[in-house]
């Protein structure tokens, strides 16, 4: 039986990420796998080369945080290789393991334990330009800070709002624990295909988020001024007044290697957002009833 190839990516700017990637690489080598290691920093998004490396690999291991996973997600989506994330930072909703348990968790995944979770993506174009796929979100805002943008929003061709805001966001279920969560948006089940449409800091207009079916055609037109479309916080495209951004659900999926059942997602959200007491019990502190 030929050795299984595993691609490992790490963020060089995160303390301990390189050492963790090298330790996991050695573990894989001892286990008879063929590891390949690459640094993924802030200078750009990996392209076809990483996708080619990941093609046919058993796993794409990302050591860092959610940003590292986002940088590698395009290659994972193109190759179909599942992502296994090791969280080095404080949060990290896209990662599966932490440094103390990363080695054992990786061994379990490669042994066939756990499951593969598929995440839906959004796809965005500007006046029919080449599509950009988003695992997290598509954000349309002004090119300069301190100014609002006016964006007309249509759903399947029906005009529903003109948002005057700092930005307008279209988020996937994966992105629901990112930018939109910080401004009061809903948290969606990670495997759902729905999209969230939500303005950021709207001025004299509604701030209510909309949860839409994934096949909805969301058209966003910059009414005046110069705008910028940012996809997953990584790729930018200038947008002029009158140009139209089309966003809808993508046929592409990004796959994640997970341990535990789907309910673990809710436990992770509750823990990382501090929804529960530290002992994970209910009841008032001290055990005494009020009144």
């Amino acid at each position: 039986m030929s050795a299984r190839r595993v691609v490992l990516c790490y963020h060089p700017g995160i303390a301990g990420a390189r050492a963790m990637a090298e330790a996991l690489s050695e573990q894989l080598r001892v286990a008879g796998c063929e590891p390949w290691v690459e640094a993924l920093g802030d200078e750009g998004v990996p392209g076809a080369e990483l996708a080619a490396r990941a093609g046919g690999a058993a796993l794409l291991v990302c050591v860092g945080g959610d940003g590292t996973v986002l940088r590698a997600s395009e290659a994972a989506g193109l190759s179909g290789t599942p992502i296994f994330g090791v969280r080095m930072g404080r949060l990290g909703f896209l990662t599966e393991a932490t440094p103390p348990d990363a080695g054992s968790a990786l061994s379990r995944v490669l042994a066939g334990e756990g499951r593969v979770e598929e995440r839906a993506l959004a796809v965005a174009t500007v006046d029919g330009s080449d599509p950009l796929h988003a695992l997290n979100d598509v954000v349309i805002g002004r090119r300069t800070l301190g100014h609002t943008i006016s964006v007309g929003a249509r759903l399947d061709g029906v005009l529903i709002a003109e948002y005057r805001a700092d930005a307008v966001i279209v988020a996937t279920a994966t992105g629901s624990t990112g930018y939109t969560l910080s401004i009061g948006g809903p948290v969606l089940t990670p495997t759902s295909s729905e999209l969230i449409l939500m303005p950021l800091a709207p001025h004299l207009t509604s701030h209510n988020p909309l949860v839409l079916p994934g096949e909805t055609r969301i058209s966003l037109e910059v009414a005046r001024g110069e705008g910028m479309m940012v996809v997953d916080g990584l790729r930018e495209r200038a947008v002029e007044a009158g140009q139209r951004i089309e966003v809808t659900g993508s046929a592409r999926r990004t796959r994640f290697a997970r341990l535990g059942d789907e309910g673990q997602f809710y436990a992770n959200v509750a823990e990382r957002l501090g929804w529960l007491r530290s002992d994970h019990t209910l009841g008032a502190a001290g055990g005494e009833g009020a009144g």
Side-chain angles (χ1 to χ4, degrees), residues 125-127 138-143 147-154 159 161-168 218-230 237-246:
T125 60
V126 179
D127 281 354
V138 177
V139 179
I140 297 92
R142 287 294 293 268
R143 298 188 199 179
H147 296 276
T148 60
I149 191 169
S150 181
V151 177
R154 290 177 171 84
L159 181 65
E162 180 177 349
Y163 294 116
R164 295 179 180 88
D166 284 2
V168 176
I218 303 171
S219 297
L220 301 170
E221 181 178 342
V222 177
R224 57 182 175 274
E226 297 178 334
M228 182 71 70
M229 180 179 77
V230 183
R237 185 163 292 174
V239 182
E240 304 294 339
Q243 287 190 302
R244 186 169 293 183
I245 301 102
E246 301 281 349

Side-chain angles (χ1 to χ4, degrees), residues 58-145:
L59 209 59
L60 176 56
V61 179
C62 297
V63 182
D66 282 356
T68 310
V69 174
L70 287 171
R71 283 177 177 81
S73 64
E74 184 173 11
L78 289 170
S79 65
T81 304
I83 291 175
F84 177 79
V86 179
R87 171 167 55 97
M88 303 296 293
R90 183 175 62 89
L91 288 176
F93 288 100
L94 300 180
T95 52
E96 183 67 15
T98 57
D101 61 9
S104 60
L106 180 57
S107 295
R108 290 174 59 195
V109 168
L110 291 173
E113 296 184 39
R115 58 190 174 82
V116 173
E117 179 179 275
E118 291 195 346
R119 298 287 188 97
L121 281 71
V123 59
T125 60
V126 179
D127 281 354
S129 63
D130 291 338
L132 295 177
H133 294 265
L135 176 60
N136 248 21
D137 50 38
V138 177
V139 179
I140 297 92
R142 287 294 293 268
R143 298 188 199 179
T144 55
L145 295 175

Side-chain angles (χ1 to χ4, degrees), residues 4-10 21-22 24-26 28-29 33-40 46-55 57 59-63 72 75:
R4 287 183 294 177
R5 184 158 46 88
V6 177
V7 176
L8 299 100
C9 303
Y10 70 93
E22 290 175 346
L24 293 175
S25 175
E26 181 59 26
L28 291 165
R29 191 174 289 108
C33 295
E34 295 179 353
W36 182 81
V37 182
E38 176 172 314
L40 293 182
E49 181 182 354
L50 181 58
R53 294 276 189 179
L59 209 59
L60 176 56
V61 179
C62 297
V63 182

